[in-house]
Amino acid sequence: MRFDPFEDRWWLAGSFLNWWELDMLGERRPSWIPSPDDAMARLARRLPAVLAAVGVIHSYRTLTTGQVAELAGGLPAGAKSLFWRSMMGAGLVDVGFPVAVSGKQAVRPDAAPFMAVRLPSRSDAEPILERLGATPAELVALSPPRRAKDWRPLLRGQRQYDRHNLLAADLALHARAAGWLTAGEAWGRFDLMCADPLMGEGGPDLELFGERETVCVELTASTNQMLAQKFARWDRVLAHPGCETMHVVWVTAGRDSNSDSVLMPALEQLAADRPRMHVAPYVQWRAHMSAMDGWTPQAGEPAPFESDWMHSDMGRVAAMVGLPGGEKWRIPARLDPPLMF
């Protein structure tokens, strides 16, 4: 059965997890975490899987091991897998467990009901990936574009909101099952979607890409004075050229029905005169991808990625410069197709 982050039993102590960071353990490293040398040796043999895991975790901020496995494909879902324990041992992830209110706290992957992962919060994962053999091109593919002055990817845990992030990943899985391509918060930046650096690096929690529409999901659990400002900022985003087919759905993600009873009217009032903004309760959106105003987007069937699109041109160009056989060139397997985060 798929993990459901919306279940209140995981959040009785609050909307956070009990995180274990390798740098903080010191000599208290538990036996289930391999030594750094053993972990690095194992991960070097599975570099494509490591890169896929890091890319998805960076995009969605916090996920369970099962969610990473579904979003990346080909990775082990079980928390007690040697792969995930090696990721911890190498310092590539922190691990988090649900906080128990009974006093019986489980902090082992074979004992806890689930284990979450995030990139290390106190260090950058990039040097570790370089030691594993990752190329500059592979590292660049893990992170969205940055300004020229800080072009190197910043692969570390940031903007962590545990329950919030797990809910976004859950919605991504349901959207992919409905035919959508998805990208997490790290890629859903206003400056990228608008091609306007003045819009800043904020953005939605989740982006869904279909054949005719892009849907930006904003998870919100409380109403405050900033809500109207968030709607106004989206007005500016949607007014940019190229954003004509973009919609925003405000998904209520409160922990009880009382919060929705306060939040829903506020959101519906703000969205009423905005035809490309919609409101939906979390459970309804996850199950049907339908909003309260009846709007139900359809993914359609995007054209498949074609890795051979330039082979014939390569043949002609290669022949002109005296290098016959250029049409036989192939993109390295590790870069084909490009990772979708």
Side-chain angles (χ1 to χ4, degrees):
M1 182 179 296
R2 176 182 283 169
F3 165 73
D4 183 1
F6 199 67
E7 288 189 24
D8 192 52
R9 61 180 170 139
W10 308 126
W11 313 109
L12 296 177
S15 57
F16 52 86
L17 299 172
N18 177 19
W19 286 101
W20 282 43
E21 303 172 16
L22 188 65
D23 290 346
M24 300 296 291
L25 293 177
E27 296 181 356
R28 297 178 296 127
R29 176 198 294 262
S31 60
W32 58 267
I33 302 177
S35 70
D37 289 343
D38 288 344
M40 292 291 287
R42 290 190 180 97
L43 295 180
R45 296 192 293 267
R46 298 199 61 187
L47 182 57
V50 172
L51 294 172
V54 169
V56 169
I57 296 168
H58 176 55
S59 179
Y60 292 90
R61 309 298 191 191
T62 302
L63 308 95
T64 67
T65 55
Q67 288 176 329
V68 179
E70 286 197 71
L71 287 167
L75 298 180
K80 61 183 179 181
S81 160
L82 188 55
F83 175 81
W84 290 114
R85 291 188 284 125
S86 297
M87 291 284 283
M88 174 69 165
L92 283 172
V93 298
D94 299 335
V95 299
F97 304 98
V99 179
V101 296
S102 64
K104 298 180 180 180
Q105 182 65 55
V107 290
R108 291 179 57 91
D110 59 349
F114 68 86
M115 186 175 81
V117 289
R118 69 184 183 192
L119 295 187
S121 61
R122 300 173 185 270
S123 59
D124 189 355
E126 184 182 354
I128 301 173
L129 295 174
E130 289 179 331
R131 292 200 298 273
L132 289 173
T135 66
E138 288 170 328
L139 292 174
V140 169
L142 298 179
S143 183
R146 301 181 65 82
R147 293 183 296 270
K149 66 178 182 179
D150 53 5
W151 65 270
R152 292 173 69 87
L154 184 64
L155 298 174
R156 66 168 59 190
Q158 54 185 325
R159 295 172 62 92
Q160 306 295 146
Y161 305 97
D162 299 340
R163 179 178 180 270
H164 204 82
N165 297 148
L166 294 178
L167 291 175
D170 182 55
L171 292 183
L173 291 172
H174 286 272
R176 288 197 178 188
W180 296 85
L181 298 177
T182 69
E185 179 184 330
W187 289 85
R189 284 174 16 198
F190 291 139
D191 59 342
L192 295 180
M193 64 179 66
C194 301
D196 181 356
L198 297 180
M199 288 304 300
E201 294 188 0
D205 300 293
L206 177 66
E207 275 192 282
L208 313 179
F209 303 96
E211 184 179 13
R212 299 181 181 86
E213 294 176 308
T214 298
V215 180
C216 298
V217 178
E218 284 277 19
L219 283 165
T220 183
S222 61
T223 179
N224 53 47
Q225 60 185 359
M226 299 293 292
L227 203 54
Q229 296 179 26
K230 291 181 179 179
F231 271 79
R233 190 176 189 185
W234 271 110
D235 287 335
R236 297 193 296 273
V237 171
L238 297 179
H240 276 76
C243 295
E244 295 84 0
T245 60
M246 183 177 292
H247 289 251
V248 183
V249 56
W250 299 81
V251 177
T252 63
R255 289 179 52 191
D256 54 54
S257 57
N258 291 331
S259 61
D260 267 16
S261 66
V262 175
L263 183 57
M264 186 69 71
L267 289 171
E268 290 187 303
Q269 181 178 4
L270 287 166
D273 297 323
R274 294 174 162 99
R276 284 191 284 151
M277 295 200 199
H278 317 273
V279 181
Y282 182 88
V283 174
Q284 175 179 318
W285 181 257
R286 179 176 60 180
H288 309 295
M289 292 190 68
S290 63
M292 297 298 289
D293 60 4
W295 176 72
T296 305
Q298 300 297 319
E301 297 183 3
F305 174 76
E306 296 289 349
S307 62
D308 291 343
W309 65 275
M310 64 178 294
H311 285 166
S312 59
D313 291 332
M314 284 293 295
R316 289 194 295 271
V317 172
M320 291 172 60
V321 297
L323 296 173
E327 73 280 359
K328 297 178 181 178
W329 180 85
R330 293 292 183 270
I331 297 174
R334 279 159 59 178
L335 300 178
D336 180 21
L339 295 172
M340 291 298 298
F341 301 131

